[in-house]
Amino acid sequence: MYTQSMDTMGKDGSPDADSRPKAVRSTEEMLLQQRFDARIDDGDFIEAKDWMPENYRKTLTRQISQHAHSEIVGMLPEGNWISRAPTLKRKAILLAKVQDEGGHGLYLYAAAETLGQSRDQLLDALHTGRAKYSSIFNYPTLSWADIGVIGWLVDGAAIMNQVPICRCSYAPYARAMVRICREESFHQRQGYDALLTMMRGTEAQKAMVQDAVNRWWWPSIQMFGPPDDQSPNSAQSMRWGIKRISNDELRAKFIDATVDQARVLGVTLPDPELKWNEARGHHDHGPIDWSEFWRVVGGDGPMNHERLAARVKAWDDGAWVREAASVHARKQTAPAAAAAA
Ligand code: FAQ
């Protein structure tokens, strides 16, 4: 199942660049490259059918598919609490949120497919461990307070990272992000609201919230990725307008915004070195454990095995649905094909 960007004909119906003599192709490609660079410099958006350098296509396929995988793996820690939500209202909200995350995965897989890989290929990379998904979803949800904290911190970090992607140079990704960001904003608020309710409750409820904050704080600030000077993809992605703001800058903005929210909530962020630095215009913070981050990204986090196994099982269990849908689709097209013959 390939998309329009895998067409083998040029826009004018001529064979595509790859089938032309080498010398002609490279001159043409140089011109295409210059035009592409100029469009990026002008802040123009690139569409699926436009010419793009192969590495731009690859980088976007990697980032958008990882993002899609994160959304659907991210449904698992929260899905685990749907049947245990404390009230009908919280259950309805959580159900809607988890469904939203599934929808985000679908928009993002669709955006990634415009770059030429099929959804089956993208999912195969996830299932065989060749593709990454966000480190944050490899931690367990131990109490109901974890659900509130995921909304507040994890969705909060996701919004901080994703609002700039609404201006990503690749238009199908940018367009998908607009709706996703609106929905993430509701997710963040519902999490904060659930925590506010618990913080007005019993001492045991308050302790549960503090415990959840203690466990999720550091993994949440790791979500933004490695420090800028250890981020191999950042420089090129910034040059291409895929990333608009660096990992460290987004992390700093998130920490600044969250400190005030923690104060209103009445919880302590588990970093004794967190302090406003007037000169930098940001909070200073304690050292981030990057060895833990890389261990989790490398597959050795607390829940990596369970998360991947759950996704593979869902895929295997759904085989009959995919098969029935394709048989149905064949039946729909068969009479038309027979009539045309
Ligand atoms: N986890 O050179 P960089 C959500 C990898 S959605 C795992 O800095 P880049 C919604 C990175 O892939 C959350 N791996 O990479 C929700 C690269 O490896 P590679 C997901 C990570 O791409 C909420 C290597 O490290 N959001 O939460 C992580 O320029 C609640 C070097 O790093 C997105 O995907 C990580 N945290 O910057 C759902 C947003 N960080 O591929 C349910 C879009 C880095 O070269 C419930 N993505 N790596 O082998 C991005 O903005 C970027 O891809 C970054 C990483 C910023 C994540």
Side-chain angles (χ1 to χ4, degrees):
M1 188 172 51
Y2 286 96
T3 59
Q4 66 272 34
S5 58
M6 292 296 282
D7 288 354
T8 53
M9 301 298 274
K11 277 184 180 164
D12 57 357
S14 59
D16 77 355
D18 284 341
S19 59
R20 291 180 195 160
K22 188 94 182 140
V24 177
R25 192 176 75 206
S26 41
T27 314
E28 198 175 302
E29 270 188 9
M30 269 168 51
L31 288 172
L32 288 166
Q33 177 77 54
Q34 279 168 10
R35 217 178 128 236
F36 175 87
D37 291 343
R39 289 183 67 187
I40 294 285
D41 290 343
D42 286 350
D44 204 358
F45 287 98
I46 307 298
E47 293 288 348
K49 282 204 154 220
D50 294 342
W51 184 89
M52 61 187 82
E54 215 33 56
N55 279 339
Y56 178 81
R57 184 185 297 278
K58 262 198 193 151
T59 298
L60 279 164
T61 304
R62 175 186 65 79
Q63 178 169 323
I64 304 173
S65 63
Q66 282 180 187
H67 193 166
H69 301 328
S70 303
E71 299 282 356
I72 63 165
V73 175
M75 296 167 77
L76 299 169
E78 290 178 291
N80 182 33
W81 277 87
I82 291 172
S83 59
R84 290 179 284 164
T87 65
L88 184 59
K89 175 181 136 186
R90 295 287 173 202
K91 185 179 177 124
I93 293 171
L94 185 58
L95 261 175
K97 179 185 192 298
V98 172
Q99 284 177 350
D100 283 351
E101 309 298 3
H104 298 175
L106 295 183
Y107 318 147
L108 289 165
Y109 283 121
E113 281 184 294
T114 65
L115 291 157
Q117 289 209 27
S118 70
R119 193 168 307 195
D120 285 1
Q121 288 172 309
L122 300 171
L123 284 168
D124 186 60
L126 172 68
H127 297 156
T128 53
R130 286 178 287 122
K132 294 185 168 70
Y133 58 87
S134 183
S135 49
I136 194 74
F137 301 117
N138 292 307
Y139 292 87
T141 38
L142 303 180
S143 76
W144 173 250
D146 288 35
I147 301 306
V149 169
I150 288 179
W152 175 38
L153 296 181
V154 176
D155 284 278
I159 298 167
M160 192 60 83
N161 164 271
Q162 291 172 17
V163 167
I165 306 178
C166 298
R167 290 184 293 115
C168 165
S169 60
Y170 187 57
Y173 190 22
R175 280 192 290 266
M177 290 316 300
V178 173
R179 176 162 170 180
I180 292 178
C181 285
R182 290 202 181 126
E183 290 176 350
E184 298 293 21
S185 167
F186 150 68
H187 297 169
Q188 199 260 358
R189 280 154 192 243
Q190 67 79 36
Y192 196 70
D193 179 70
L195 295 177
L196 272 176
T197 304
M198 278 183 267
M199 290 303 287
R200 290 190 200 114
T202 64
E203 287 309 311
Q205 283 174 303
K206 291 181 199 170
M208 202 195 284
V209 173
Q210 184 62 57
D211 171 63
V213 171
N214 293 348
R215 285 181 288 105
W216 288 90
W217 172 248
W218 293 103
S220 297
I221 62 174
Q222 290 173 347
M223 277 176 76
F224 296 93
D228 293 348
D229 58 4
Q230 291 159 45
S231 162
N233 301 300
S234 276
Q236 185 59 73
S237 288
M238 299 280 279
R239 165 76 189 82
W240 276 328
I242 294 173
K243 278 171 120 165
R244 298 284 183 187
I245 305 181
S246 82
N247 297 1
D248 284 333
E249 223 180 309
L250 287 169
R251 190 173 5 256
K253 279 160 71 93
F254 172 72
I255 293 173
D256 294 342
T258 310
V259 165
D260 286 340
Q261 293 166 6
R263 197 174 301 125
V264 172
L265 200 54
V267 295
T268 308
L269 296 174
D271 179 359
E273 294 178 46
L274 206 51
K275 198 168 81 228
W276 178 250
N277 181 328
E278 192 62 45
R280 286 200 317 120
H282 287 299
H283 286 83
D284 288 335
H285 57 79
I288 299 174
D289 185 350
W290 290 113
S291 63
E292 174 188 324
F293 170 77
W294 289 117
R295 201 173 58 245
V296 174
V297 171
D300 194 20
M303 298 294 284
N304 293 61
H305 179 75
E306 286 81 353
R307 298 292 184 241
L308 204 53
R311 285 308 325 163
V312 171
K313 182 175 183 314
W315 176 257
D316 290 345
D317 290 352
W320 70 270
V321 180
R322 293 190 298 278
E323 198 178 322
S326 59
V327 170
H328 178 71
R330 271 202 302 278
K331 280 188 185 159
Q332 298 302 301
T333 51

